[in-house]
């Protein structure tokens, strides 16, 4: 595999070449954008390894499903049936509201984005870098996954796509220290930014002044996406405020929220495509 | 460069594949910081055993794959692993003659240095260092070195890798 030119040189020169190459690669990867396609193909190349690691976990789950007792399955079926009926009824109401909302929007003359296409993806049981909060899912370029695509679960927002591979992609969770999400308090309409803290299941709400605490936010408030920044659709639940601490020593109040989505123990996630309507 | 024909390359490839799998295997949250640096261990062994085949270039390629697998900056692990390979190839004659406990100390030093370099790079990118946690992988790795060494040596002898 090694070429004669490289092989012929003394070890020290060779290591210097490779060290310089790695530094150049790191700078290119961090500062410039054009390594994205390279990463896409490399991620596709290593997919077999990731698939093999995930396989025992998947087999275990399949097996435990097999040995589930018949009665248990019947109970679950009945419960799901009931839930489905309830959701159907709620959906009827929702359809009505949606068309009413659309009519009102048209009356106001504002353009509106309606409807989102949703597809399911599976989380692969793979550990990525420990300092970050990221997960790997089994949908990639082949399934039209794109950069910065929103990822949800049944309860709320989970994160967004940060690396697209051919068959898989990396999701940055909203708790990652690099992730910032524009949000809004439902009760008062107060807008803020939810930033990850790098710890499991904690969000920090930024730029809230001490005076804003009096009227804008309190423990137990629901926060939803505000739709600012154009990446996330508006109005999806993000989390609940659990701690409001006015700290006079700091310019902003310390407010923390608990994410709604089951970020750390999901096996299935939902990918959202915006369907824009002219 | 060596002119004698190579033999048993698939054993080397297989051992690296297994180390990749161990490196991304899901562990309980408390254990992730203690995860041994499997890839560095396997690379060090092959650099000492067959330096004419596995060296700086292989270390770099292996590191690149490691980067893609763990979603770090492209080149981050490539840099640390090619330095590990460089030191191991440079000192392979001496390390072979070391008693086992001295090898363990050497591996501890190598992996601590590489972890420190990794932590340095991630803190430049914006993920600051988490206390002393960078030293945990070095501790578990050097504890596992004698076993990795024995297993890979037996495999090398059985399948005659040279």
């Amino acid at each position: 595999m090694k070429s004669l030119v490289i092989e012929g040189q003394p070890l020290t020169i060779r290591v210097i070449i490779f060290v310089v190459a790695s530094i150049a690669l790191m700078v290119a990867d961090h500062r410039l954008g054009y390594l994205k396609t390279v990463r896409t193909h490399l991620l596709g190349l290593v997919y077999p390894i990731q698939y093999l690691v995930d396989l025992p976990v998947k087999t275990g789950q399949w097996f435990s499903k097999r040995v589930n007792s018949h009665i248990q399955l019947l109970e679950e079926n009945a419960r799901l049936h009931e839930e489905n009926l309830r959701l159907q009824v709620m959906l009827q109401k929702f359809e009505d509201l949606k068309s009413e909302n659309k009519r009102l929007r048209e009356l106001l003359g504002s353009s509106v984005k309606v409807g989102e296409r949703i597809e399911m993806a599976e989380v692969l049981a793979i550990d990525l870098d420990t300092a970050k909060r990221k997960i790997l899912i089994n949908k990639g370029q082949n399934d039209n996954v794109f950069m910065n695509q929103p990822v949800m679960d049944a309860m709320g927002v989970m994160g967004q796509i940060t690396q697209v591979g051919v068959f898989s992609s990396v999701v940055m969770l909203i708790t990652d220290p690099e992730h910032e999400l524009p949000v809004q308090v439902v009760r008062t309409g107060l807008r803020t930014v939810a930033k990850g803290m790098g710890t499991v299941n904690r969000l920090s709400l930024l730029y809230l002044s001490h005076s804003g605490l009096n009227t804008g936010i309190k423990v137990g408030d629901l926060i939803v996406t505000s739709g600012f920044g154009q990446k996330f659709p508006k109005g999806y639940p993000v989390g609940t405020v659990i701690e409001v601490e006015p700290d006079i020593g700091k310019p902003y109040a310390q407010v923390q929220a608990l994410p709604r989505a089951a970020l750390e123990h999901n096996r299935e996630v939902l990918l959202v495509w915006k369907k824009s309507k002219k | 460069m060596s002119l004698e024909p190579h033999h048993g390359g698939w054993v080397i490839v297989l051992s690296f594949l297994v180390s990749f799998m161990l490196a991304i295997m899901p562990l309980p949250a408390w254990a992730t910081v203690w995860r041994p640096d499997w890839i560095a261990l396997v690379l060090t062994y092959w650099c000492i055993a067959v330096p004419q085949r596995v060296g700086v270039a292989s270390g770099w390629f292996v590191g690149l794959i490691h980067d893609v697998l763990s979603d770090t900056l492209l080149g981050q692990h490539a840099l640390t692993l090619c330095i590990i390979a460089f030191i191991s190839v440079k000192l392979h004659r001496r390390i072979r003659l070391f008693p086992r406990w001295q090898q363990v100390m050497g591996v501890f030093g190598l992996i601590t240095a590489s972890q420190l370099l990794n932590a340095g790079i991630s803190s430049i990118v914006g993920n600051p260092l988490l206390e002393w946690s960078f030293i945990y992988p070095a501790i578990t790795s050097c504890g596992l070195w004698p076993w990795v060494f024995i297993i890979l040596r037996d495999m090398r002898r059985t399948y005659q890798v040279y």
Side-chain angles (χ1 to χ4, degrees):
Chain A
M1 189 167 75
K2 292 176 220 163
S3 70
L4 279 172
V5 186
I6 290 178
E7 192 71 15
Q9 286 156 341
L11 199 59
T12 321
I13 296 179
R14 235 191 298 163
V15 80
I16 289 169
I17 293 173
F18 279 112
V19 165
V20 171
S22 351
I23 292 172
L25 255 182
M26 276 189 275
V27 172
D29 195 22
H30 189 52
R31 300 265 164 206
L32 319 162
Y34 43 67
L35 280 178
K36 288 273 182 278
T37 42
V38 179
R39 277 202 100 118
T40 301
H41 289 103
L42 285 175
L43 250 182
L45 208 68
V46 300
Y47 186 64
I49 302 175
Q50 295 166 333
Y51 185 80
L52 272 180
V53 171
D54 183 54
L55 203 59
V57 181
K58 206 177 277 173
T59 328
Q61 280 180 343
W62 178 82
F63 194 71
S64 76
K65 251 182 225 162
R66 283 272 124 155
V67 298
N68 250 351
S69 72
H70 187 63
I71 296 167
Q72 231 172 343
L73 284 177
L74 278 179
E75 269 172 16
E76 197 184 337
N77 195 2
R79 196 170 48 77
L80 286 175
H81 188 69
E82 195 184 320
E83 194 180 324
N84 192 20
L85 275 176
R86 211 177 52 238
L87 289 175
Q88 291 275 3
V89 175
M90 272 164 71
L91 202 64
Q92 283 171 21
K93 189 76 189 155
F94 176 71
E95 284 296 327
D96 184 41
L97 286 173
K98 203 166 88 177
S99 59
E100 185 182 324
N101 189 4
K102 201 179 132 206
R103 259 200 330 275
L104 288 171
R105 289 261 183 191
E106 272 165 9
L107 275 177
L108 283 168
S110 69
S111 72
V112 63
K113 283 180 173 145
V114 273
E116 282 116 22
R117 188 161 69 84
I118 291 179
E119 234 172 78
M120 207 169 78
E122 259 177 65
V123 178
L124 295 181
I126 303 279
D127 272 357
L128 298 172
D129 194 2
T130 45
K132 300 168 186 169
R133 306 236 61 86
K134 290 181 177 177
I135 53 172
L136 194 85
I137 57 170
N138 72 342
K139 291 258 161 84
Q141 210 177 37
N142 281 4
D143 310 280
N144 295 323
V145 172
F146 58 91
M147 280 294 281
N148 304 117
Q149 185 172 7
V151 180
M152 319 266 184
D153 74 356
M155 301 298 289
V157 176
M158 288 192 69
Q160 59 178 301
I161 303 276
T162 49
Q163 291 290 346
V164 184
V166 182
F167 311 105
S168 59
S169 27
V170 178
V171 180
M172 184 188 271
L173 298 178
I174 49 175
T175 44
D176 187 286
E178 280 178 52
H179 197 277
E180 289 181 356
L181 180 67
V183 292
Q184 197 169 21
V185 178
V186 173
R187 191 170 55 89
T188 56
L190 179 75
R191 280 190 296 273
T192 168
V193 174
K195 191 180 190 305
M197 304 170 74
T199 45
V200 174
N201 274 346
R202 270 294 177 286
L203 291 169
S204 159
L205 300 181
L206 305 179
Y207 314 126
L208 289 171
S209 67
H210 298 296
S211 56
L213 292 184
N214 296 332
T215 50
I217 197 164
K218 65 172 201 268
V219 172
D221 274 351
L222 175 71
I223 49 174
V224 297
T225 50
S226 67
F228 279 34
Q230 308 295 326
K231 279 172 190 163
F232 279 85
K234 190 174 166 354
Y236 276 99
V238 176
T240 344
V241 178
I242 51 162
E243 197 183 309
V244 177
E245 207 176 290
D247 187 347
I248 305 299
K250 289 181 184 149
Y252 299 111
Q254 308 291 306
V255 183
Q256 289 192 7
L258 184 77
R260 272 208 150 192
L263 297 177
E264 310 293 333
H265 37 85
N266 258 340
R267 276 298 283 181
E268 279 106 20
V269 299
L270 303 168
L271 288 165
V272 182
W273 281 268
K274 273 189 207 173
K275 258 192 294 187
S276 47
K277 187 184 162 225
K278 276 144 249 155
Chain B
M1 69 170 281
S2 56
L3 287 172
E4 72 247 43
H6 293 322
H7 194 262
W10 64 269
V11 177
I12 300 177
V13 174
L14 188 74
S15 64
F16 274 122
L17 276 181
V18 172
S19 75
F20 286 142
M21 290 174 66
L22 287 170
I24 58 171
M25 192 79 89
L27 290 179
W30 58 269
T32 46
V33 285
W34 289 93
R35 184 198 297 277
D37 196 344
W38 293 103
I39 299 172
L41 284 179
V42 172
L43 180 72
T44 312
Y45 175 79
W46 289 120
C47 284
I48 296 166
V50 281
Q52 72 280 11
R53 294 194 66 177
V54 177
V56 176
S58 331
W60 192 77
F61 281 116
V62 166
L64 216 54
I65 298 172
H66 190 4
D67 283 329
V68 177
L69 278 174
S70 56
D71 196 55
T72 44
L73 218 50
L74 270 191
Q76 183 176 331
H77 285 103
L79 177 67
T80 55
L81 286 178
C82 88
I83 290 172
I84 285 185
F86 170 69
I87 297 169
S88 320
V89 171
K90 194 88 180 165
L91 304 176
H92 71 271
R93 287 195 188 81
R94 253 183 277 175
I95 299 174
R96 277 185 202 167
L97 294 176
F98 278 171
R100 199 56 45 82
W101 68 270
Q102 261 181 9
Q103 283 187 356
V104 167
M105 293 315 288
V107 168
F108 179 75
L110 265 184
I111 293 184
T112 310
S114 81
Q115 290 289 331
L116 209 56
L117 192 58
N118 257 327
I121 294 169
S122 9
S123 64
I124 290 172
V125 183
N127 302 306
L129 189 62
L130 296 167
E131 315 109 37
W132 282 92
S133 60
F134 70 90
I135 213 152
Y136 299 160
I139 296 169
T140 45
S141 307
C142 76
L144 281 165
W145 169 254
W147 283 274
V148 172
F149 185 87
I150 291 168
I151 291 167
L152 288 177
R153 187 191 56 192
D154 286 354
M155 274 179 70
R156 181 174 60 85
R157 286 184 183 157
T158 316
Y159 299 105
Q160 293 173 355
V161 184
Y162 49 80

